[in-house]
Amino acid sequence: MKISKKIVLIGHFGVGKSSLIRRFVENTFTEDYKVTIGVHILKKEVTLPKSNDDITLVIWDLEGNDDITNTRPSYLIGTNGFLYVFDMTRPATYQSLENDLDYIKDRYPNIPLKIIGNKKDLVTNDFIKQNKDVFGRFVDFYTSAKSGTNVDDVFTNLAEAVIKEAKK
Amino acid sequence: MLEQYKKEYSQSVNQYIVVDLDGNILESDNVIFPDVVGKNLSDIHPFFESVHSALLEPNKRHIFSCIHLTNPENQTIITDIIVKTFDGKQPPLVAILDLTTHYDNYQTTAQVRNESVINSQILELKNEYLQEKEAFKNAFIANFSHELRDPLTGILTFSDILKKTHLNDEQLNYLRVIDSSSTYLKQLIEDILDISKIEAGKLDLVISPFNIKQLLEDIQSVFAIKAQQKGLELITNFNDNLPEIVGGDALRLRQVLSNLLENAIKFTEEGTVTFNASLNQIRAQKASIHFQVKDTGIGIPEDKLEDIFTSFTQLNNSQAYKGAGLGLAIAKHLVSLTHSRISVDSTVGEGSTFSTNINFILDKNQVLKSKKKDVLTPPKSNRKFSILLVEDSEITQLSILKILASRGNYFLDIVTKGEDVIPRIENSEFDLILMDIKLPNSYGDEITKLIRKMPEREHKKIPVIALTARVMKDDLKRYKKAGINDVIQKPFDENTLVSKIEEYLK
Ligand SMILES: Nc1nc2c(ncn2[C@@H]2O[C@H](COP(=O)(O)OP(=O)(O)OP(=O)(O)O)[C@@H](O)[C@H]2O)c(=O)[nH]1
Ligand SMILES: [Mg+2]
């Protein structure tokens, strides 16, 4: 039987949520910024490398929000996994990182959550090192939607965590 | 009638669907998605795959706003979707409300808002980054120039000393090259320091009375020689109407005029350099004086006129014109401190004219302080003076030792570590302390504070003269507050050192 899981991307606006999904689903990228309003929902089937499980990811691309508490709760019903995305070139998008993560973990304690520092192509490794205490200690993946770095890994890694959680 | 109009003109944009608890469609109208009866909700759009769980909870009403769907014509529509469940066997209702027009307007607003927020954040970041870079650059330059001064002081002092030994002509010639190279290097370092002070907003004018005619004549004699060496003629016109004594910053005026003349000579291969000064007017105890430096050199293209005042810009990047190109930038900033500006008039191939009007204070009651003589006076008495030098740089130690030893009336004691200063003072009698500021593990101004707190009067009153390259406004304030009496700027020459010391040994 085909399993289908709901993945939700959240984070400030303009951090690259739609771009990461576009890279993952269509393997394309555009510099043009089209603001997401409400939510776009896309589907992609993946085969997990470790377990060989086939799984359909229903990916919810939420509109960006600079205040996580304004996220519409209806969008989060039935979520199986979260991706929290921020933009390493804009401190405003990671200033409230720790609080935001607490907010999610409080309300959805058992739902796998991965933290992503995006736009890696625009920063140096030194910059990432320097910010170890600022955001580094939280981050699971540094990605670039533009170059494609780590994008597939993010989704498969989260999918694996989701499956593992479902088997519990 | 109303019913008829409604049928004709109101177009329903909502679709109502009745489903079972598994999402299988039992009933539906065909407003947006036609022919869906018998299919499952998830066949309409992946959105519905994620709302199955909502169907199972009885007596709930969920509203999902602003959901993007794709209609059968493959167009995106933006909808609100209501899922209503009931008690018992009553099947749930799903209503899809097409609000595309409404949300399209919202999209436009959100686009403008987000873009402007992001732009301002990027701008902020850029500014922060630039400011950091700028501050770093200034600090770097200040520190670096500071580091260069100690060894340079060593070179200058020892070539002076070397000059007084018995050298043959060949050796003297070599020494002259060393001399002129290190003097040039010293000038460069001073220019770079000036620029970094200017850029950090830390350069202030020091106003005091001086003889402007004398100053112009001094400059004339220096540059007449420089012009002559290049086969050029220096023509000067100093109008008789010039006042003699004015209030202003003589040092900086000399710097501005020298930089303009230096520049004129540098970029002129043949012909003349003309140096004019005249009085414009006297108003409210202020004299406005016009200065002009005119050359017959290569000239400046019109589109480059602005650039020539920028640091590190040299129009002609060829090797023939050496120098960092700081002179004009410094001159421009210095003149702007007097609320004036330098204007340029230039024709390529014919030459350039730089002119400026500078205001000086004209106060008849101000008496010119007697100018300090440059020549060193012989020691006033046979008394010997004891001087404590606190300095970790060996080159500076040696330079001072050499200079003072040649005078014959000084004992010099040296300590290299801050913590040794107080014990040494307690156990000896010093007439004066020369204090380096940046010592390993301590600072001269901090040590001076301790000296000023010593219990014995003859200890805490010893004059302290700082030896330092750090002479920014803030630094000087700090030294004064710490109780330092005076400052000798590194690199220093024999004259400055000895006359400063003598000033405090009466
Ligand atoms: N250089 C670079 N630019 C990126 C990257 N990811 C996204 N962008 C750019 O960032 C801008 C915003 O990207 P989106 O994917 O629309 O951001 P979003 O998070 O979906 O924004 P909202 O929908 O408003 O929340 C676009 O101009 C993208 O081209 C990346 O990895 N590198
Ligand atoms: Mg988006």
Side-chain angles (χ1 to χ4, degrees):
Chain A
M1 188 195 93
K2 206 30 99 37
I3 355 170
S4 131
K5 295 289 174 194
K6 173 174 171 180
I7 304 292
V8 175
L9 278 83
I10 46 179
H12 282 227
F13 46 77
V15 298
K17 299 180 293 297
S18 305
S19 301
L20 287 167
I21 297 170
R22 194 173 301 124
R23 171 61 74 194
F24 177 58
V25 176
E26 300 169 4
N27 203 16
T28 59
F29 175 78
T30 163
E31 300 277 353
D32 291 338
Y33 174 36
K34 181 161 192 244
V35 172
T36 306
I37 57 163
V39 59
H40 288 259
I41 296 131
L42 286 98
K43 235 162 104 161
K44 164 123 174 167
E45 307 206 349
V46 288
T47 306
L48 297 182
K50 282 186 200 152
S51 57
N52 236 8
D53 283 335
D54 280 335
I55 153 169
T56 303
L57 296 181
V58 181
I59 305 167
W60 285 51
D61 178 10
L62 264 53
E63 65 187 3
N65 218 319
D66 44 22
D67 180 356
I68 197 165
T69 62
N70 288 340
T71 312
R72 293 189 176 117
S74 61
Y75 290 165
L76 304 182
I77 295 172
T79 300
N80 302 110
F82 284 108
L83 290 179
Y84 184 99
V85 187
F86 68 90
D87 174 350
M88 287 191 278
T89 69
R90 278 163 50 220
T93 70
Y94 55 77
Q95 248 149 27
S96 54
L97 185 59
E98 192 162 9
N99 277 336
D100 288 1
L101 298 181
D102 286 345
Y103 180 90
I104 302 170
K105 285 176 197 157
D106 258 13
R107 284 167 182 71
Y108 306 93
N110 297 318
I111 300 180
L113 159 68
K114 300 286 167 195
I115 293 93
I116 283 127
N118 189 39
K119 308 203 186 175
K120 185 171 189 292
D121 55 294
L122 297 178
V123 302
T124 60
N125 286 335
D126 260 1
F127 175 83
I128 294 178
K129 256 188 224 150
Q130 283 160 17
N131 281 285
K132 189 176 168 295
D133 291 331
V134 184
F135 55 69
R137 58 200 172 111
F138 302 109
V139 169
D140 294 298
F141 288 94
Y142 295 106
T143 58
S144 165
K146 187 170 179 178
S147 71
T149 309
N150 279 342
V151 177
D152 286 355
D153 291 351
V154 165
F155 285 95
T156 32
N157 185 281
L158 180 64
E160 255 154 13
V162 167
I163 295 297
K164 206 172 138 198
E165 182 62 36
K167 282 180 181 161
K168 267 190 191 164
Chain B
M1 204 60 192
L2 183 66
E3 283 310 307
Q4 194 185 330
Y5 279 164
K6 270 188 174 171
K7 255 185 207 145
E8 231 167 284
Y9 294 106
S10 95
Q11 210 187 348
S12 177
V13 287
N14 304 336
Q15 179 158 4
Y16 297 91
I17 304 173
V18 179
V19 292
D20 67 15
L21 296 185
D22 290 328
N24 295 313
I25 298 172
L26 307 175
E27 283 176 68
S28 173
D29 49 31
N30 296 321
V31 176
I32 305 169
F33 302 99
D35 308 323
V36 288
V37 178
K39 295 183 181 170
N40 190 283
L41 275 179
S42 358
D43 298 329
I44 294 181
H45 191 272
F47 163 79
F48 294 102
E49 281 188 34
S50 313
V51 298
H52 275 305
S53 58
L55 297 175
L56 301 174
E57 282 178 87
N59 254 333
K60 281 262 161 153
R61 185 168 186 270
H62 288 291
I63 302 181
F64 300 89
S65 334
C66 201
I67 308 291
H68 292 246
L69 301 177
T70 313
N71 70 12
E73 287 83 45
N74 230 348
Q75 291 158 334
T76 299
I77 55 169
I78 311 175
T79 62
D80 278 1
I81 296 172
I82 300 168
V83 176
K84 175 79 189 99
T85 56
F86 304 92
D87 265 340
K89 290 223 163 59
Q90 206 179 329
L93 168 72
V94 174
I96 307 174
L97 320 177
D98 184 346
L99 298 170
T100 308
T101 327
H102 163 75
Y103 280 125
D104 275 348
N105 290 333
Y106 173 56
Q107 162 86 48
T108 316
T109 330
Q111 186 79 37
V112 174
R113 182 201 58 204
N114 289 12
E115 277 178 9
S116 81
V117 170
I118 291 172
N119 282 341
S120 73
Q121 287 171 347
I122 288 174
L123 216 65
E124 250 169 52
L125 197 70
K126 255 195 200 146
N127 281 340
E128 222 168 83
Y129 174 70
L130 283 181
Q131 276 167 10
E132 267 173 31
K133 226 172 90 173
E134 196 62 15
F136 174 78
K137 191 189 82 185
N138 280 327
F140 174 80
I141 289 175
N143 286 330
F144 187 62
S145 320
H146 173 84
E147 293 301 325
L148 289 176
R149 282 177 173 220
D150 273 348
L152 193 57
T153 305
I155 296 173
L156 286 168
T157 328
F158 282 100
S159 65
D160 258 2
I161 293 167
L162 195 58
K163 229 180 277 168
K164 292 173 193 158
T165 62
H166 302 284
L167 299 179
N168 64 31
D169 284 353
E170 191 186 0
Q171 288 168 329
L172 266 177
N173 274 335
Y174 295 153
L175 194 59
R176 270 188 210 114
V177 178
I178 296 179
D179 234 15
S180 75
S181 306
S182 34
T183 308
Y184 176 61
L185 185 58
K186 188 178 157 195
Q187 184 57 50
L188 277 183
I189 293 174
E190 249 137 51
D191 279 358
I192 290 173
L193 263 178
D194 275 349
I195 280 288
S196 72
K197 276 190 226 165
I198 287 167
E199 290 188 352
K202 287 187 174 158
L203 196 140
D204 288 320
L205 296 180
V206 182
I207 309 294
S208 55
F210 68 99
N211 186 326
I212 190 165
K213 281 189 173 163
Q214 182 66 51
L215 183 132
L216 291 174
E217 274 159 27
D218 283 357
I219 296 176
Q220 175 188 14
S221 59
V222 172
F223 283 91
I225 297 169
K226 289 198 178 192
Q228 202 186 15
Q229 283 167 346
K230 219 184 155 181
L232 304 171
E233 191 191 349
L234 177 74
I235 303 169
T236 52
N237 301 301
F238 302 144
N239 201 304
D240 288 340
N241 63 9
L242 284 174
E244 199 151 319
I245 309 297
V246 296
D249 190 328
L251 191 80
R252 297 305 181 180
L253 175 64
R254 181 191 289 268
Q255 197 177 1
V256 169
L257 297 174
S258 301
N259 285 358
L260 292 179
L261 285 163
E262 195 81 60
N263 186 70
I265 292 175
K266 184 153 128 192
F267 291 102
T268 306
E269 290 311 316
E270 56 181 344
T272 56
V273 171
T274 314
F275 179 24
N276 297 328
S278 61
L279 176 72
N280 286 327
Q281 74 215 4
I282 295 180
R283 238 179 244 156
Q285 308 224 321
K286 272 189 192 141
S288 160
I289 297 178
H290 179 74
F291 300 96
Q292 190 183 58
V293 173
K294 200 170 172 176
D295 65 55
T296 55
I298 57 174
I300 306 150
E302 190 158 351
D303 58 325
K304 295 278 159 53
L305 281 176
E306 280 306 310
D307 297 350
I308 57 168
F309 292 110
T310 317
S311 329
F312 301 106
T313 306
Q314 255 195 20
L315 294 188
N316 201 318
N317 275 325
S318 77
Q319 281 297 314
Y321 305 107
K322 73 169 180 178
L326 294 174
L328 291 181
I330 293 172
K332 176 190 161 174
H333 282 289
L334 291 177
V335 168
S336 76
L337 289 178
T338 72
H339 307 290
S340 183
R341 53 189 300 271
I342 300 176
S343 55
V344 206
D345 212 4
S346 188
T347 311
V348 172
E350 287 181 19
S352 314
T353 306
F354 290 78
S355 29
T356 182
N357 296 311
I358 299 179
N359 279 327
F360 296 89
I361 299 166
L362 203 62
D363 185 348
K364 297 255 156 49
N365 301 323
Q366 252 171 358
V367 197
L368 183 65
K369 273 194 234 152
S370 73
K371 226 182 132 209
K372 244 181 254 146
K373 281 183 225 138
D374 265 342
V375 195
L376 291 175
T377 45
K380 286 169 199 134
S381 68
N382 289 334
R383 201 194 137 189
K384 293 216 174 194
F385 296 101
S386 227
I387 294 183
L388 175 67
L389 172 64
V390 185
E391 169 68 78
D392 61 314
S393 147
E394 277 179 26
I395 302 173
T396 311
Q397 287 170 12
L398 260 176
S399 308
I400 291 175
L401 190 65
K402 270 279 181 188
I403 292 172
L404 294 186
S406 74
R407 309 282 306 165
N409 60 329
Y410 295 106
F411 292 120
L412 189 67
D413 198 350
I414 300 176
V415 298
T416 54
K417 287 194 211 112
E419 61 263 34
D420 296 341
V421 176
I422 299 288
R424 189 68 62 96
I425 294 176
E426 279 168 349
N427 296 320
S428 358
E429 281 177 20
F430 292 112
D431 297 295
L432 186 131
I433 301 170
L434 293 172
M435 180 77 79
D436 181 24
I437 295 294
K438 212 180 129 208
L439 292 156
N441 305 325
S442 55
Y443 289 93
D445 43 332
E446 295 300 326
I447 300 169
T448 308
K449 277 188 202 162
L450 297 179
I451 298 175
R452 296 297 177 235
K453 282 187 196 138
M454 288 176 77
E456 301 287 333
R457 195 188 140 76
E458 69 259 37
H459 292 151
K460 67 174 169 201
K461 289 287 174 198
I462 305 173
V464 176
I465 301 179
L467 294 171
T468 178
R470 292 164 190 272
V471 289
M472 302 261 194
K473 203 169 68 185
D474 299 350
D475 300 319
L476 293 177
K477 250 192 221 157
R478 211 179 57 242
Y479 302 154
K480 200 169 168 194
K481 229 178 131 191
I484 289 175
N485 300 70
D486 213 329
V487 176
I488 296 175
Q489 190 178 353
K490 286 180 182 172
F492 49 83
D493 55 28
E494 189 170 341
N495 276 354
T496 321
L497 180 75
V498 175
S499 55
K500 263 279 151 65
I501 290 177
E502 285 181 350
E503 208 177 300
Y504 287 90
L505 294 178
K506 272 161 206 159

